[in-house]
Amino acid sequence: MTRKKFDIPKMYQSPIIRKVKEATKIIDPMKKDLEPTVLDFGPVQFLIPRFFGFCYGVENAIDIAYRTVAENPDKDIYLLSEMIHNPTVNEDLQKRGVKFLFDTDGTEHIPISSLSEEDIVIVPAFGTTLEIQSQLKEVGIDPYRFNTTCPFVEKVWKRGKQLGKKDYSLVVHGKHRHEETRATFSHSADHSAVVVVLNPEEAKILADIMTGERPGSDFEKYFGHKSTGGFDPIKDMERFGVINQTTMLATETQEVMEILREAAIKRFGEANVLDHFADTSDTLCYATNENQSATLALAETDADLAIVVGGYNSSNTMHLVEILEHHFPTYHVRDKGELSPDLINHFDQWDKEMKRTRDWLAMKESPHKIALTSGASCPDILVDEVLLQILEYFEDTNKVGDVISPFEEKLEPE
Ligand code: SF4
């Protein structure tokens, strides 16, 4: 897909990170080099991954949403739910009068039945369910008129539909309450038997049920609440493909595919596996792949700690944290407001709560090396602000202009 140019509001653009990203694109147009960039401020260095931040789908959604708000000052504008999982962007849209119909887990705030055909409803980047699409149509609202569903999510749905036409069932690797997985489930259930698995551990349980190593009754226990009615793990897993919530760890999706492919081989024999297991690896999202690969390269550096900027309900941000925390202390923060010189507030996805860590910058040696990145729904400006905030905690740092000028030299004059 050719990279479209999107109109991103100036307030989300950043004077530092944007220049680094633009320059790296020019230096490495074929995207071959995953080596992180070092921004050397003297007593502190920031290690910036090759890929991070806004992806195609998020830029597309922001472009459409802000254009819709600007062009329709007299209309009531609604978003089905958070447009992307970033509080800064969502709060700004709410300040501009946009109202949310549902919250992230599907709880209704404003009934669709109370809307009129004059109203505007923006479908978020995750897409929405067929049920909500028909409720909108019932009140006279076209769900495709202001649709920001990411084309890479739609690609997953299309592939699922092709498989459904050939009588394949679908295994969705995702979090079953996440908006995107609910949307993908709904679109898939229109043509296939569907079951959602969260991780390789659950894939193994499903595989064991398929091959008879676990009783069939375990299906109801583990998957009854996240599969289509009457799903039969023996019959419906005779022909299947795996699709994913696009922000899951790509390596985990591949693991889920491999576990279930092995089970298909065990059941039907190696020679017949292609008749029973569809190769869907081409549906994995490019941005998730790039961002996670670049994060793995960042994890290989000798950073002292990592900061990941992003919403606390952002699935892709949590996966970046998950990669980095195996290598160094890693702090997930929504913005610079969580930082002070001797204390950092950060989200712990495993305990699902905010934590406070003291002396987080107390490192033995200088320069302090800080890996800094952000999720796909995080505006670069928030990363700039975190970087500038940390610089304030150090004396005698190199000037930002001096550190950035080698990158500016690579760019075309604006
Ligand atoms: S992560 Fe991928 S699928 Fe999700 S919005 Fe971004 S580009 Fe689209």
Side-chain angles (χ1 to χ4, degrees):
M1 187 182 296
T2 325
R3 191 75 156 94
K4 238 165 91 181
K5 206 80 183 115
F6 296 107
D7 193 3
I8 302 300
K10 283 245 168 345
M11 62 193 174
Y12 296 141
Q13 296 177 19
S14 81
I16 304 173
I17 292 299
R18 185 184 62 83
K19 286 177 189 152
V20 175
K21 281 185 174 176
E22 294 293 322
T24 332
K25 255 191 243 168
I26 291 169
I27 297 164
D28 175 30
M30 302 309 286
K31 302 182 171 183
K32 288 197 169 145
D33 186 4
L34 287 179
E35 187 71 22
T37 300
V38 179
L39 300 181
D40 186 355
F41 288 92
V44 58
Q45 294 181 350
F46 291 95
L47 285 71
I48 311 287
R50 172 70 175 89
F51 303 107
F52 66 104
F54 277 1
C55 58
Y56 182 100
V58 166
E59 290 194 344
N60 179 47
I62 288 183
D63 182 346
I64 294 173
Y66 278 88
R67 197 152 20 94
T68 303
V69 171
E71 289 172 359
N72 297 280
D74 304 327
K75 295 260 189 186
D76 283 332
I77 303 179
Y78 299 89
L79 260 161
L80 276 178
S81 63
E82 292 193 357
M83 188 180 59
I84 55 172
H85 285 158
N86 187 273
T88 308
V89 176
N90 290 317
E91 283 162 18
D92 184 71
L93 284 166
Q94 281 175 305
K95 273 190 217 139
R96 289 165 198 263
V98 176
K99 298 182 201 79
F100 291 173
L101 296 175
F102 296 90
D103 69 15
T104 299
D105 68 6
T107 311
E108 188 180 71
H109 290 307
I110 302 171
I112 290 180
S113 57
S114 68
L115 271 45
S116 84
E117 59 185 12
E118 296 301 313
D119 297 331
I120 288 176
V121 174
I122 303 172
V123 175
F126 317 108
T128 192
T129 63
L130 292 174
E131 295 74 23
I132 288 179
Q133 285 183 358
S134 44
Q135 285 175 35
L136 289 170
K137 283 182 198 158
E138 271 167 31
V139 293
I141 294 173
D142 176 358
Y144 299 104
R145 175 80 179 80
F146 299 94
N147 179 18
T148 79
T149 308
C150 176
F152 293 97
V153 173
E154 285 173 338
K155 183 177 165 187
V156 171
W157 297 350
K158 276 188 204 136
R159 184 84 171 100
K161 195 167 184 178
Q162 285 166 356
L163 290 174
K165 278 190 188 151
K166 294 180 192 159
D167 290 332
Y168 280 78
S169 303
L170 292 170
V171 177
V172 181
H173 174 220
K175 299 172 182 168
H176 76 281
R177 295 187 66 83
H178 187 283
E179 290 105 314
E180 184 188 316
T181 296
R182 279 189 277 125
T184 297
F185 185 95
S186 161
H187 285 258
S188 304
D190 201 38
H191 46 71
S192 297
V194 190
V195 56
V196 179
V197 300
L198 177 64
N199 50 30
E201 290 73 35
E202 284 198 358
K204 181 76 176 82
I205 294 171
L206 183 60
D208 288 348
I209 297 170
M210 259 176 86
T211 54
E213 282 155 71
R214 270 179 181 265
S217 56
D218 273 4
F219 186 84
E220 187 55 32
K221 179 174 162 194
Y222 291 99
F223 305 106
H225 60 296
K226 47 182 186 173
S227 55
T228 42
F231 192 105
D232 179 338
I234 304 301
K235 191 172 116 322
D236 288 326
M237 291 300 282
E238 276 180 11
R239 268 159 88 75
F240 66 94
V242 178
I243 54 177
N244 80 349
Q245 177 187 318
T246 54
T247 50
M248 298 301 276
L249 272 182
T251 49
E252 264 200 6
T253 301
Q254 275 150 353
E255 221 180 305
V256 165
M257 287 175 175
E258 194 46 37
I259 289 166
L260 293 170
R261 198 180 82 90
E262 285 297 323
I265 291 174
K266 203 165 188 178
R267 224 177 130 190
F268 305 107
E270 178 103 50
N272 301 316
V273 70
L274 289 179
D275 295 333
H276 299 276
F277 176 81
D279 181 1
T280 48
S281 43
D282 58 338
T283 61
L284 296 177
C285 160
Y286 89 96
T288 302
N289 266 328
E290 284 182 355
N291 291 356
Q292 292 176 1
S293 304
T295 308
L296 285 165
L298 187 63
E300 295 305 315
T301 62
D302 60 348
D304 300 298
L305 61 86
I307 295 189
V308 185
V309 190
Y312 297 145
N313 57 350
S314 162
S315 174
N316 81 84
T317 310
M318 288 189 235
H319 288 310
L320 302 184
V321 173
E322 190 179 347
I323 292 171
L324 293 171
E325 67 189 2
H326 292 299
H327 300 264
F328 16 71
T330 300
Y331 305 108
H332 178 177
V333 300
R334 59 170 273 180
D335 56 33
K336 68 170 183 175
E338 306 287 31
L339 277 59
S340 69
D342 51 6
L343 182 75
I344 187 165
N345 294 310
H346 54 101
F347 182 66
D348 182 321
Q349 62 180 298
W350 310 113
D351 293 342
K352 296 189 174 42
E353 63 181 23
M354 293 301 294
K355 297 253 167 92
R356 292 154 73 86
T357 299
R358 296 204 169 275
D359 298 328
W360 65 285
L361 269 176
M363 295 168 213
K364 284 184 213 93
E365 289 174 21
S366 191
H368 288 34
K369 292 185 183 169
I370 299 179
L372 179 60
T373 187
S374 67
S377 46
C378 178
D380 285 345
I381 187 69
L382 300 182
V383 182
D384 269 27
E385 288 174 2
V386 165
L387 182 150
L388 293 170
Q389 182 74 56
I390 295 173
L391 280 184
E392 284 188 15
Y393 305 150
F394 292 85
E395 288 176 358
D396 301 325
T397 53
N398 300 330
K399 288 202 178 82
V400 171
D402 293 344
V403 175
I404 294 305
S405 73
F407 299 96
E408 284 173 329
E409 282 163 16
K410 306 272 182 231
L411 303 179
E412 302 275 327
E414 286 182 19

